[in-house]
């Protein structure tokens, strides 16, 4: 009977590495030369790169070579020297045509990679193109976590699709999207990504892709359906649970942040009425006229500062939060796909076992399934680690940014109030 | 303020106590009594502390005292009492008179009232005031015996009734207008401030929710957990800080309220002038018409149309004896009237002079007090900003450790 996969079936918790735990590098083989911060799930490092019957793992299939590459890749904290691909999204422009109005963004690429013909590219892309890219990546790299895109549909009338704030928020999200792909050791080498960055006429390429049904055939392989997984392995179950709680908490934080912004705006409304009353009063007085005007102006400055704080929170904080909720959903979908692949393997394995044939060799079909499962698990775990690291950095930056904005708000108000103290204490010359 | 009472005597309203008793209609009621403590200020060289005298008074007695002072010294801008009922409250504050916070603020307000009266050069010398502070029993009877209620001009209560005054002192007219405007602007300010406080409370309190969710989130994280947890704690601190901040601001609101009510007292003085001037003009007018009547009767010419004149033409003239009698009566009245007018004039001029002197004193006091109030408000805002910076800096540090 074939050896059970190291990552499937019931195992005691103590033997299971926590999906979020860092592992020591001593379990690596001599063939790998990891950097000190190399993080690998222990189960992958433990695994021998050969099937139970002695056949070495077929490294020629795209799935396994990509996961091998994954394991050899250095940690994501790359410094500028080792990076060889840089992508930026900027310069939004509005296009008005007879049929429609839309925005394009400039996508600039700088690279030394051999896969690119030129060292620099500059193309214009619209949201549709990004959406196309994402779909293509999901199709062609089903074992990997694809970064999320900002929401496709916006309710017309509620949000102005052409307002500066909306376009800027979207631009930042699209930029983040491409940068995440750029940083991914497997996705960044994807041919669709390459075309997206370089093609003058993307639409022609898109049409070409649609016509080739054979391409569809390949991707169908990974879209297995109809198999029911008996139980998700503990480590993946743990990831699933983590993601569920994580997206719940993010949802709560999103609601709190929205509520705060709402309360701040209501506070602002009252402040805007409050300040001018001091001014009116100042108009009635003689000696108190200047002090009262001073207080009025001061409150006005605080209003401006508060407005800036609310704007910043709306434009910078909320979108990133929402992006991570989408990211969690993507990861959960990848987990489901993985379950499907494993379920298929186990079903086929069972079918073989029931046949009770005297052939000692495991059929190639089942072998391929097993291979697929192993690679999927490896890819997913590696992606999850990468995602966890990025998430930590992103949230550290996001929350520090939020704290910073609040500090700046209070500093502006402090300056305003401190500056009127001398004005208030000033004694009039004539008495 | 050379001889004012405040320099000779320490006055405090040190305690407030809930009491039950029977009211005028023999129904049971609950009220608050306030303890007034007084002590003579000994000179430093003696080094001895005089004993403390104390007595209890309730709000209605303070009201009686103030009414007495207003009537007895109409030319003085009499210090106001703290509000009878809680007004301009923001939602968290209670509008209940029995609420301990309200009682506490009222205690402070009553003490302030007594100190204001005791520092006033004229009012501090009043015997009824002195007895209020020192004589527990029989004070009410003493006040009523002064008969001040009879002196009270009921017309002063009709705030908006207009009296056509031909020659008011322009300064008083302007001042009355100012006091109306001042009342209006301070009321508006207090109303908006209460709403601002309400909203600010909301902003701070919602941040408390971050505390809870960060704590829950930290439970599923490894490296990020500690940073999140401690940042959450700072969010709780932030949310809690608003209670003290707003409590301190109430003191500022109370300072504004005092001047809102002071504006009322100022208006009363202007009103008094208006009424005096009106009475004066009425008296003068009456005198003039009497003189005219007298002249007409004496010369027999009817210069102005009068129904009497018409009827006498229709129904016959009076006899010379009747006319003589009439003239004599009128001449007496005219003489009386002229004396009254003279004294009224004098009264009015004295009033204007002394009222204006007190108004100048009041203006200076007002400018000084309000400036101080604005400074303390700015200081409060500065403190609030500094606290905010501190909390968010702490939170930022926790986030950096994530």
């Amino acid at each position: 009977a074939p050896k059970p996969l190291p990552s499937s079936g019931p195992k005691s918790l103590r033997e299971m590495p926590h999906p979020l735990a860092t592992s020591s590098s001593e379990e690596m083989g001599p063939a790998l030369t990891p950097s000190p911060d190399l993080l690998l799930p222990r189960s992958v490092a433990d695994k021998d790169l050969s099937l139970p019957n002695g056949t070495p793992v077929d490294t020629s299939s795209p799935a396994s070579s990509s996961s091998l590459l994954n394991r050899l890749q250095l940690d994501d904290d790359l410094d500028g020297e080792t990076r060889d691909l840089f992508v930026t999204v900027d310069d939004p422009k509005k296009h008005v045509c007879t049929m429609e109005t839309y925005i394009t963004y400039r996508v600039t690429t700088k690279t030394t990679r051999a896969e690119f013909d030129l060292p620099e590219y500059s193309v214009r892309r619209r949201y549709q193109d990004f959406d196309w890219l994402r779909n293509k990546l999901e199709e062609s790299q089903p074992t990997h976590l694809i970064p999320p895109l900002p929401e496709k549909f916006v309710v017309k009338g509620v949000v102005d699709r052409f307002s500066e704030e909306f376009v800027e928020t979207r631009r930042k999200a699209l930029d983040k999207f491409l940068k995440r792909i750029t940083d991914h050791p497997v996705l960044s080498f994807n041919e669709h990504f390459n075309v997206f960055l370089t093609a003058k006429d993307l639409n022609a390429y898109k049409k070409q892709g649609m016509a080739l049904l054979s391409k569809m055939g390949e991707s169908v392989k990974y879209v297995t359906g109809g198999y029911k997984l008996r139980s998700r392995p503990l480590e993946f179950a743990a990831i699933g649970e983590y993601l569920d709680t994580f997206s719940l908490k993010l949802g709560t934080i999103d609601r709190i942040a929205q509520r705060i912004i709402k309360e701040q705006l209501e506070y602002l409304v009252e402040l805007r009425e409050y300040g001018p009353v001091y001014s009116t009063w100042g108009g009635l007085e003689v000696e108190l006229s200047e002090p009262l005007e001073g207080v009025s102006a001061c409150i006005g400055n605080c209003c401006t500062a508060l407005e800036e704080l609310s704007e910043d929170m709306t434009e910078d904080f909320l979108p990133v939060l929402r992006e991570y909720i989408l990211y969690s959903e993507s990861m959960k979908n990848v987990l489901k796909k993985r379950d499907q692949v494993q379920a298929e393997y186990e079903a086929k394995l069972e079918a073989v076992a029931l046949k009770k044939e005297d052939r000692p060799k495991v059929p190639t079909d089942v072998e391929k399934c097993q291979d697929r499962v192993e690679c999927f698990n490896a890819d997913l775990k590696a992606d999850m680690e990468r995602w966890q690291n990025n998430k930590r950095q992103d949230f550290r930056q996001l929350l520090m940014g939020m704290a910073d904005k609040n500090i700046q708000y209070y500093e502006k108000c402090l300056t305003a109030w401190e500056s009127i103290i001398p004005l208030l204490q000033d004694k009039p010359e004539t008495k | 303020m050379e001889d004012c009472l405040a320099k000779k005597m320490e006055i405090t309203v040190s305690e407030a106590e809930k009491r039950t008793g029977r009211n005028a209609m023999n129904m049971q009621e609950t009220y608050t009594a306030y303890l007034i403590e007084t002590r003579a200020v000994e000179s430093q060289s003696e080094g001895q502390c005089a004993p403390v005298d104390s007595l209890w008074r309730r709000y209605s007695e303070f009201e009686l005292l103030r009414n007495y002072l207003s009537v007895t010294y109409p030319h003085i801008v009499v210090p106001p009492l703290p509000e009878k009922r809680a007004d301009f409250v923001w939602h968290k504050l209670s509008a209940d008179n029995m609420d301990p916070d309200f009682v506490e603020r009222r205690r402070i307000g009553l003490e302030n009232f007594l100190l204001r009266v005791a520092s006033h050069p004229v009012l501090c010398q009043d015997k009824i005031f002195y007895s209020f502070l020192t004589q527990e029993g029989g004070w009410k009877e003493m006040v009523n015996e002064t008969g001040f209620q009879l002196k009270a001009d009921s017309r002063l209560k009709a705030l908006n009734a207009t009296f056509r005054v031909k020659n008011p002192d322009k300064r008083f007219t302007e001042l009355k207008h100012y006091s109306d405007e001042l009342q209006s602007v301070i009321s508006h300010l207090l109303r908006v401030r209460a709403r601002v406080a309400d909203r600010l409370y909301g902003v701070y309190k919602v941040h408390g929710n971050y505390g809870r969710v960060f704590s829950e989130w930290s439970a599923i994280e490894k490296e990020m957990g500690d940073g999140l947890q401690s940042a959450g704690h700072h969010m709780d601190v932030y949310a809690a800080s608003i209670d003290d901040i707003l409590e301190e601001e109430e003191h500022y609101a109370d300072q504004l309220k005092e001047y809102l009510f002071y504006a009322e007292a100022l208006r009363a003085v202007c009103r008094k002038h208006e009424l005096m001037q009106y009475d004066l003009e009425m008296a003068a007018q009456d005198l003039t018409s009497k003189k005219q009547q007298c002249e007409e009767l004496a010369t027999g010419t009817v210069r102005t149309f009068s129904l009497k004149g018409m009827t006498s033409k229709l129904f016959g003239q009076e006899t010379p004896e009747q006319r003589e009698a009439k003239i004599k009566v009128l001449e007496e009245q005219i003489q009386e009237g002229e004396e009254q007018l003279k004294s009224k004039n004098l009264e009015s001029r004295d009033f204007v002079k002394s009222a204006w002197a007190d108004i100048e004193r009041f203006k200076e006091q007002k400018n000084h007090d309000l400036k101080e109030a604005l400074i303390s408000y700015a200081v409060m805002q500065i403190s609030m900003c500094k606290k905010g910076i501190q909390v968010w800096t702490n939170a930022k540090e926790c986030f950096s450790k994530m």
Side-chain angles (χ1 to χ4, degrees):
Chain A
K3 189 167 131 187
L5 294 174
S7 54
S8 77
K11 241 185 180 177
S12 80
L13 267 169
R14 253 172 288 129
E15 289 169 70
M16 298 295 304
H18 192 288
L20 311 172
T22 58
S23 61
S24 57
S25 44
E26 60 226 13
E27 279 124 350
M28 307 286 193
L32 307 169
T33 45
S35 75
D37 347 355
L38 183 56
L39 305 163
L40 285 180
R42 199 159 24 111
S43 47
V44 173
D46 272 339
K47 177 183 151 40
D48 28 50
L49 299 174
S50 61
L51 290 176
N53 56 18
T55 327
V57 166
D58 175 17
T59 52
S60 61
S61 78
S64 49
S65 69
S66 74
S67 39
L68 199 60
L69 203 62
N70 231 354
R71 287 169 241 146
L72 291 173
Q73 197 70 32
L74 291 170
D75 192 84
D76 277 3
D77 281 342
L78 301 166
D79 46 42
E81 295 161 42
T82 48
R83 278 250 200 104
D84 56 3
L85 177 65
F86 298 87
V87 178
T88 321
V89 178
D90 63 5
D91 190 35
K93 275 203 166 64
K94 194 165 164 185
H95 297 258
V96 184
C97 307
T98 40
M99 291 299 284
E100 52 171 353
T101 307
Y102 59 92
I103 308 268
T104 62
Y105 304 84
R106 179 176 64 183
V107 179
T108 315
T109 308
K110 289 196 168 78
T111 180
T112 54
R113 284 189 186 179
E115 288 82 5
F116 293 83
D117 295 331
L118 300 171
E120 260 188 64
Y121 292 90
S122 181
V123 294
R124 294 212 75 95
R125 299 283 181 247
R126 55 186 290 192
Y127 182 91
Q128 272 181 10
D129 303 328
F130 286 84
D131 196 37
W132 168 88
L133 173 64
R134 190 173 192 281
N135 289 332
K136 276 284 177 268
L137 286 174
E138 270 199 329
E139 269 175 32
S140 55
Q141 313 275 181
T143 62
H144 285 291
L145 174 62
I146 317 294
L149 270 180
E151 270 121 38
K152 188 174 202 165
F153 299 110
V154 277
V155 183
K156 282 190 196 167
V158 177
V159 181
D160 179 10
R161 291 180 302 137
F162 302 108
S163 75
E164 242 179 76
E165 294 85 19
F166 179 78
V167 170
E168 176 58 16
T169 304
R170 206 173 230 203
R171 182 202 68 75
K172 282 191 204 144
L174 294 175
D175 184 79
K176 200 81 199 275
F177 170 71
L178 290 184
K179 283 188 160 71
R180 280 176 172 148
I181 299 172
T182 308
D183 288 344
H184 197 284
V186 176
L187 295 179
S188 62
F189 286 93
N190 184 281
E191 59 168 307
H192 302 296
F193 184 53
N194 187 309
V195 172
F196 176 90
L197 293 177
T198 60
K200 283 244 157 58
D201 185 359
L202 190 63
N203 287 325
Y205 178 80
K206 282 189 200 178
K207 288 189 186 129
Q208 190 186 32
M210 299 275 260
L212 293 171
L213 290 169
S214 57
K215 285 238 177 206
M216 294 267 281
E218 190 185 316
S219 55
V220 165
K221 254 203 280 180
Y222 286 93
V223 183
T224 50
Y227 294 98
K228 196 92 200 278
L229 183 68
R230 245 173 272 127
S231 66
R232 200 183 247 180
L234 276 164
E235 64 180 325
F236 295 108
I239 293 178
E241 274 168 37
Y242 168 82
L243 289 172
D244 281 336
T245 312
F246 178 71
S247 23
L248 258 176
K249 294 308 146 196
L250 283 196
T252 307
I253 293 174
D254 182 276
R255 277 191 302 279
I256 296 171
Q258 275 187 69
R259 178 78 191 276
I260 290 175
I261 291 170
K262 177 170 172 278
E263 295 285 338
Q264 279 173 343
L265 290 176
E266 287 179 345
Y267 172 55
L268 187 61
V269 165
E270 302 299 347
L271 270 188
R272 287 225 170 93
E273 193 184 324
Y274 186 51
V277 183
Y278 281 99
S279 198
T280 307
W281 187 359
L284 291 177
E285 300 286 338
V286 177
E287 205 180 304
L288 293 175
S289 173
E290 260 183 55
L292 287 167
E293 278 297 336
V295 171
S296 179
C298 201
I299 295 172
N301 289 336
C302 293
C303 285
T304 309
L306 184 60
E307 219 178 343
E308 284 164 12
L309 174 65
S310 296
E311 256 173 44
D312 282 344
M313 289 298 283
T314 309
E315 283 165 24
D316 296 333
F317 186 79
L318 290 178
V320 177
L321 214 56
R322 288 175 187 153
E323 205 176 84
Y324 261 91
I325 297 176
L326 291 173
Y327 227 151
S328 300
E329 295 306 310
S330 295
M331 187 51 131
K332 283 193 238 179
N333 286 333
V334 176
L335 273 174
K336 285 191 192 137
K337 278 192 238 166
R338 190 219 69 86
D339 287 345
Q340 283 294 301
V341 172
Q342 182 180 332
E344 188 187 340
Y345 167 70
E346 284 178 354
K348 290 199 172 143
L349 200 62
E350 241 184 75
V352 166
L354 287 171
K355 275 194 193 151
K356 280 188 187 137
E357 286 184 11
D358 34 37
R359 258 188 282 167
K361 218 179 168 194
V362 177
T364 354
D365 188 31
V366 183
E367 271 177 31
K368 280 223 171 102
C369 270
Q370 182 185 19
D371 189 37
R372 221 182 285 146
V373 179
E374 286 168 7
C375 292
F376 208 136
N377 289 346
D379 286 348
L380 199 155
K381 281 192 275 198
D383 272 1
M384 188 63 191
E385 293 247 15
R386 187 177 297 107
W387 182 85
Q388 283 289 359
N389 251 348
N390 289 343
K391 173 208 80 182
R392 188 175 158 197
Q393 281 176 42
D394 286 343
F395 274 96
R396 187 196 292 144
Q397 196 181 34
L398 183 72
L399 292 169
M400 281 176 77
M402 168 172 94
D404 247 338
K405 294 191 180 100
N406 277 280
I407 292 170
Q408 281 164 31
Y409 159 72
Y410 278 113
E411 280 179 343
K412 285 177 202 163
C413 292
L414 180 66
T415 307
W417 286 105
E418 280 183 333
S419 69
I420 66 153
I421 293 278
L423 174 71
L424 294 175
Q425 288 175 328
D426 194 32
K427 293 242 178 281
E429 268 125 41
T430 50
K431 262 229 148 188
Chain B
M1 286 223 282
E2 301 300 321
D3 294 298
C4 75
L5 193 58
K7 294 235 158 134
K8 294 186 233 165
M9 185 191 248
E10 248 177 60
I11 307 169
T12 53
V13 177
S14 51
E15 274 171 52
E17 214 175 71
K18 224 192 232 182
R19 299 253 178 100
T20 43
R22 298 233 162 236
N23 67 6
M25 288 176 286
N26 208 31
M27 283 165 40
Q28 200 173 51
E29 58 166 0
T30 329
Y31 63 92
T32 312
Y34 300 87
L35 182 67
I36 302 175
E37 287 185 323
T38 51
R39 175 165 67 188
V41 173
E42 299 290 321
S43 54
Q44 288 292 322
S45 58
E46 287 189 31
Q48 270 183 334
C49 251
V52 173
D53 283 323
S54 65
L55 47 76
W56 292 90
R57 294 260 184 240
R58 53 186 293 191
Y59 189 84
S60 57
E61 290 176 275
F62 281 84
E63 274 185 312
L64 184 60
L65 172 66
R66 191 177 185 276
N67 286 341
Y68 161 79
L69 290 173
S70 302
V71 172
T72 314
Y73 304 91
H75 58 290
I76 301 286
V77 181
V78 178
L81 284 172
E83 56 193 350
K84 190 154 193 171
R85 265 165 286 278
D87 206 352
F88 304 111
V89 289
W90 58 282
H91 88 275
K92 202 212 163 200
L93 289 187
S94 171
D96 175 21
N97 284 3
M98 285 296 162
D99 179 71
D101 284 334
F102 177 75
V103 169
E104 174 60 16
R105 293 210 325 278
R106 189 187 250 194
R107 182 193 66 73
I108 296 169
L110 290 174
E111 185 178 286
N112 187 51
F113 166 74
L114 292 178
L115 289 172
R116 291 270 194 211
V117 177
S119 332
H120 191 283
V122 174
L123 298 177
C124 73
Q125 300 183 38
D126 187 274
K127 301 252 174 337
I128 297 286
F129 174 60
Y130 188 79
S131 310
F132 180 85
L133 297 173
T134 54
Q135 181 185 323
E136 182 137 33
W139 178 81
K140 259 200 199 158
E141 289 72 20
M142 193 198 263
V143 182
N144 291 328
E145 266 164 37
T146 62
F148 79 92
Q149 275 107 339
L150 300 168
K151 282 193 239 161
D153 190 340
S154 60
R155 291 178 299 172
L156 279 172
K157 297 228 174 102
L159 284 172
N160 290 321
T162 44
F163 294 85
R164 251 170 283 129
V165 180
K166 290 189 196 126
N167 280 318
D169 185 321
K170 282 226 157 59
R171 298 178 297 174
F172 281 93
T173 317
E174 272 167 28
L175 195 64
K176 181 156 161 259
H177 181 68
Y178 166 78
S179 71
D180 285 338
E181 300 271 280
L182 187 66
Q183 278 184 291
S184 166
V185 87
I186 296 184
S187 298
H188 189 192
L189 194 63
L190 285 168
R191 267 198 310 275
V192 185
R193 193 214 70 90
R195 294 203 304 262
V196 167
D198 221 353
R199 291 300 176 194
L200 189 61
Y201 184 79
V203 171
Y204 271 74
K205 286 300 176 190
V206 179
H207 278 84
N209 291 321
Y210 274 145
R212 193 176 56 239
V213 75
F214 283 169
S215 182
E216 289 166 6
W217 182 10
S218 73
I220 59 167
E221 297 290 344
K222 284 251 157 183
E223 294 98 4
M224 278 169 61
D226 288 337
L228 273 176
Q229 179 87 9
S230 39
H233 162 72
H234 290 298
M235 291 293 99
D236 287 332
V237 168
Y238 181 72
S241 68
I242 192 67
D243 294 303
D244 284 344
I245 290 169
L246 288 179
E247 202 184 292
E248 233 193 301
E249 255 195 43
E250 278 312 307
H251 177 63
Y252 171 69
D254 284 339
Q255 288 175 295
L256 292 180
K257 274 183 211 174
E258 193 193 12
Y259 275 92
L260 173 67
F261 303 140
Y262 250 130
E264 183 65 55
L266 189 64
R267 189 186 202 277
V269 174
C270 297
R271 199 76 167 127
K272 185 67 191 175
H273 161 78
E274 215 176 65
L275 290 173
M276 275 185 107
Q277 188 65 17
Y278 179 77
D279 285 346
L280 188 66
E281 285 174 9
M282 284 292 112
Q285 203 177 319
D286 187 56
L287 186 66
T288 311
S289 93
K290 283 203 162 78
K291 280 184 177 167
Q292 212 167 46
Q293 269 185 300
C294 204
E295 200 199 307
E296 281 166 24
L297 281 174
T299 57
T301 55
V302 182
R303 238 182 282 150
T304 56
F305 174 80
S306 74
L307 196 59
K308 205 152 181 223
M310 282 309 292
T311 50
S312 62
K313 267 203 164 157
L314 289 169
F315 298 105
Q317 301 273 11
E318 311 156 300
T319 63
E321 292 83 19
Q322 281 175 316
R323 216 179 333 139
E324 277 304 318
K326 269 209 181 120
I327 292 172
K328 208 165 191 125
V329 167
L330 277 172
E331 276 176 350
E332 269 173 40
Q333 284 180 340
I334 287 168
Q335 189 161 37
E336 235 180 86
E338 276 187 330
E339 272 167 34
Q340 268 189 20
L341 191 64
K342 220 182 196 167
S343 70
K344 270 204 162 84
N345 239 317
L346 212 67
E347 218 188 307
S348 178
R349 261 181 298 177
D350 279 342
F351 179 89
V352 166
K353 190 166 161 206
S354 48
W356 204 255
D358 195 59
I359 284 164
E360 290 295 334
R361 181 206 62 81
F362 169 74
K363 276 187 188 166
E364 257 187 61
Q365 176 198 294
K366 175 204 80 175
N367 288 335
H368 173 267
D369 288 350
L370 288 174
K371 233 187 213 178
E372 289 297 311
L374 290 175
I375 290 170
S376 76
Y377 184 67
V379 167
M380 274 183 237
Q381 300 305 306
I382 288 169
S383 159
M384 181 170 87
C385 290
K386 285 188 173 160
K387 278 189 204 160
I389 291 171
Q390 183 67 61
V391 159
W392 282 104
T393 305
N394 291 341
K396 185 179 172 185
E397 208 184 305
C398 295
F399 290 139
S400 73
K401 296 196 179 120
M402 262 167 51

